[in-house]
Amino acid sequence: MRRLFPVTDQTAPAAAPAPQAQPEAQPEAPSHLADLADLVDREWTLDELAEAYAYPAPLATPAVPATSDAPHRWLRANMVSTLDGAAQHDGRSQAISSDADMRIFGTLRGLADVVLVGAETVRLEGYRPARARDAFAARRAADGQAPAPAIAVVSASLNLDFSLPLFTSPLVPTLVLTGAAASPDRVRDAEKAGARVIVAGDGPGVEPDRAVTALADMGLVRQLTEGGPRLLGQFAVAGVLDELCLTVAPLLTVGSAQRITGGPALPDPERFALAAVLEEAGFLFTRYRRI
């Protein structure tokens, strides 16, 4: 794993530097850049990855009001895409992933309070409960987090197999986000299996802003979504996505696989600012934050 170049968060594109009349001596590299030399061409530890992907601090809690310096919650997405824009191959993302991608996947989960995922992704990817990992135990305890993130499944129909371990034997109870018009029988099935049902919409579906607010009100302020594309598209259109962690795989798949987002187009493209880039074996691990 190596850092291609350090990037500081910006709210607007940086202006081009003014031309110099005379060449100037190059300044010494800042100490934090010199420290990065040790991280080049070796596998980063999980603790180093956790520092690189740490959520903004501080974040508000239910007991601490949100301010411009401490937002109420932070929603980041983690997705992978090929060079030609495919978010999956043969219906699954695993085929376009890598070992380093999975280490970052595990790190992002290790930092999150809650992982939001669409029902179709649960069915296709065979989702299981998040597990506690020793590498993140001390960090999570210090931040007052549960041993593992809760999984929050977003579903209008509640057409889910509630006999799966995701619902019957999670370390942290699984959450199900749905709308007020959801089938009462399916709500009872979910609750009987041990899931906690949260109504986050007045109709059959979930309203993204209500979903992330409801979770934040429960103290789940470090939020992560792993898709699928339709759910991520809904978050993007609703303007609640704060950060995108996108792995660009050095692969071409051709075909008609879905992109990382799906659904109606935004009226105007939304600009994100590059926050960081890492590389390993040709895979680019990028982070973008909403401006």
Side-chain angles (χ1 to χ4, degrees):
M1 182 77 69
R2 66 189 180 98
R3 191 183 301 263
L4 292 184
F5 48 84
V7 181
T8 56
D9 294 336
Q10 300 181 25
T11 58
Q20 299 292 327
Q22 297 293 332
E24 295 183 357
Q26 294 296 317
E28 293 184 5
S31 59
H32 74 279
L33 296 187
D35 293 340
L36 294 177
D38 180 55
L39 299 179
V40 173
D41 295 331
R42 70 166 173 83
E43 187 175 86
W44 289 21
T45 66
L46 291 178
D47 194 54
E48 288 166 341
L49 283 175
E51 288 295 328
Y53 282 90
Y55 278 81
L59 285 175
T61 67
V64 178
T67 66
S68 58
D69 294 328
H72 189 33
R73 49 91 194 145
W74 188 268
L75 175 63
R76 66 167 34 145
N78 181 34
M79 300 292 283
V80 60
S81 170
T82 64
L83 296 175
D84 52 348
Q88 52 191 225
H89 186 62
D90 287 338
R92 302 190 67 181
S93 61
Q94 183 176 1
I96 60 173
S97 184
S98 69
D99 289 343
D101 185 45
M102 294 309 298
R103 282 172 61 80
I104 291 176
F105 173 91
T107 299
L108 294 180
R109 280 197 166 197
L111 298 174
D113 296 323
V114 60
V115 179
L116 294 100
V117 60
E120 184 65 14
T121 298
V122 168
R123 290 187 285 264
L124 289 175
E125 302 280 354
Y127 257 63
R128 299 184 63 83
R131 59 189 178 91
R133 301 181 62 183
D134 291 342
F136 302 104
R139 184 183 296 270
R140 294 185 69 87
D143 289 338
Q145 295 176 286
I151 304 294
V153 182
V154 179
S155 177
S157 68
L158 299 185
N159 181 22
L160 298 161
D161 183 354
F162 293 116
S163 68
L164 294 175
L166 176 62
F167 301 101
T168 61
S169 57
L171 181 62
V172 178
T174 294
L175 309 173
V176 177
L177 298 169
T178 192
S183 164
D185 289 340
R186 297 303 291 166
V187 169
R188 283 192 292 270
D189 290 342
E191 293 175 336
K192 185 177 179 179
R196 178 175 177 180
V197 178
I198 300 170
V199 175
D202 293 330
V206 170
E207 298 168 22
D209 57 338
R210 288 183 57 177
V212 296
T213 298
L215 294 172
D217 288 344
M218 296 168 58
L220 305 176
V221 297
R222 302 172 187 88
Q223 300 173 358
L224 169 68
T225 180
E226 297 168 352
R230 183 170 175 271
L231 181 64
L232 181 53
Q234 291 172 343
F235 286 141
V237 169
V240 298
L241 181 67
D242 299 296
E243 180 179 338
L244 173 62
C245 298
L246 177 64
T247 296
V248 181
L251 302 170
L252 294 173
T253 60
V254 195
S256 57
Q258 193 164 14
R259 297 158 45 189
I260 65 167
T261 57
L266 284 164
D268 297 297
E270 185 173 9
R271 180 69 181 268
F272 277 62
L274 182 64
V277 183
L278 303 175
E279 182 271 347
E280 182 175 287
F283 283 76
L284 297 181
F285 305 97
T286 70
R287 288 173 55 214
Y288 288 88
R289 291 186 173 181
R290 185 174 60 174
I291 295 175

